[in-house]
Amino acid sequence: MPTERFMRLPEQKKAVIRAAAMKEFARVPFEKVSINQIIHNAGISRGSFYTYFEDKSDVVKFLLADMRRELQEFCEREIRRSGGDYFALLEQMFEYFVRTLQETDGLLHMAKNLFSYQENIQGVGFRDWSKPCNMAADDSPAAWFFNLIDKNRLRVDTIEDFSVLMPLGMTVILLAIKQYYENPESLDKVRVMFHKQLDILKHGALKEHSFHEM
């Protein structure tokens, strides 16, 4: 992660360095990223770069931590706005990712370049959000969401129950976003399929009479 010296920089300068790094990570795959190019884009010296970051992996950690913080803030706002509706949040999360990819220049290419590496997916937290969570951890993604959602809307009474539901919802989002950034022109089809998958997850796949016959 960035050094304390970097964190003390004015927000404007941090934003310039962030934009410079994003531009380079969008330009080429991770293994071809040039620190010299980041330095050039940001207008800083090589010495300054190494007082801020250890290497380009450290820059990635900074970018992903920033993304994760923004995502968490968005989720908290939306889930409170919807009155704790978990499925409404999943719908808004999908639109948030699409909008962010569309509005941030080069982000789509950066996502393709970065998220081909599993460690980068871990860095933004999706691996934790799309698998069963540690029930004992108060700071787990499942616990964080469970404390915010309206449990009366779901057949979910405990964190253990929610740990079954949460990975399914996050996986639906991940698959849809993956399909979108691989084929941006297919957004309408991806959105339709996403809502179908979410609807089945929300209401179940069996007809009511079939359920009672089992």
Side-chain angles (χ1 to χ4, degrees):
M1 290 298 292
T3 64
E4 192 63 33
R5 182 170 180 177
F6 176 83
M7 300 310 295
R8 289 198 302 266
L9 289 174
E11 290 301 320
Q12 184 176 3
K13 185 159 187 178
K14 284 193 285 189
V16 168
I17 295 172
R18 181 179 186 266
M22 289 180 65
K23 181 178 180 180
E24 177 61 6
F25 282 108
R27 186 179 69 87
V28 292
F30 178 80
E31 68 274 9
K32 294 183 179 180
V33 164
S34 166
I35 289 176
N36 286 336
Q37 192 62 50
I38 295 175
I39 290 168
H40 175 76
N41 292 343
I44 60 175
S45 69
R46 190 173 186 84
S48 292
F49 177 89
Y50 283 107
T51 64
Y52 303 150
F53 304 100
E54 205 172 291
D55 52 26
K56 64 184 180 183
S57 293
D58 209 23
V59 179
V60 171
K61 290 175 185 176
F62 159 63
L63 294 176
L64 296 184
D66 207 34
M67 291 167 140
R68 182 169 184 167
R69 176 187 55 77
E70 290 178 358
L71 175 59
Q72 187 166 328
E73 290 174 355
F74 170 83
C75 289
E76 187 165 356
R77 286 196 308 271
E78 285 300 314
I79 207 163
R80 292 189 188 283
R81 186 185 64 80
S82 68
D85 187 334
Y86 178 63
F87 283 94
L89 172 65
L90 295 181
E91 292 177 2
Q92 290 305 312
M93 284 179 70
F94 172 75
E95 297 301 334
Y96 168 84
F97 286 122
V98 170
R99 187 166 58 251
T100 302
L101 289 169
Q102 289 176 336
E103 294 177 355
T104 307
D105 188 40
L107 186 59
L108 184 61
H109 293 295
M110 189 181 82
K112 289 180 179 179
N113 289 337
L114 290 186
F115 295 149
S116 59
Y117 293 82
Q118 288 299 312
E119 59 268 28
N120 292 336
I121 296 176
Q122 173 66 27
V124 82
F126 281 145
R127 184 179 291 172
D128 293 334
W129 289 16
S130 59
K131 71 178 182 181
C133 303
N134 179 2
M135 296 307 108
D138 292 336
D139 61 348
S140 69
W144 185 80
F145 274 105
F146 188 72
N147 288 331
L148 292 175
I149 64 170
D150 179 2
K151 268 72 78 175
N152 293 323
R153 295 173 180 263
L154 304 170
R155 290 192 296 114
V156 169
D157 298 315
T158 66
I159 183 65
E160 287 80 9
D161 290 339
F162 186 64
S163 73
V164 176
L165 172 64
M166 181 176 165
L168 299 176
M170 295 303 168
T171 298
V172 171
I173 290 179
L174 280 174
L175 289 173
I177 294 302
K178 181 177 184 296
Q179 290 167 355
Y180 169 62
Y181 76 62
E182 287 178 347
N183 296 286
E185 68 282 355
S186 66
L187 176 58
D188 288 343
K189 291 181 180 179
V190 171
R191 184 179 278 119
V192 168
M193 183 58 65
F194 167 73
H195 283 288
K196 284 182 179 179
Q197 292 170 336
L198 207 59
D199 186 66
I200 290 174
L201 179 60
K202 185 176 182 178
H203 299 291
L206 290 177
K207 293 182 178 179
E208 187 175 353
H209 68 84
S210 299
F211 180 79
H212 290 302
E213 290 171 1
M214 292 180 66

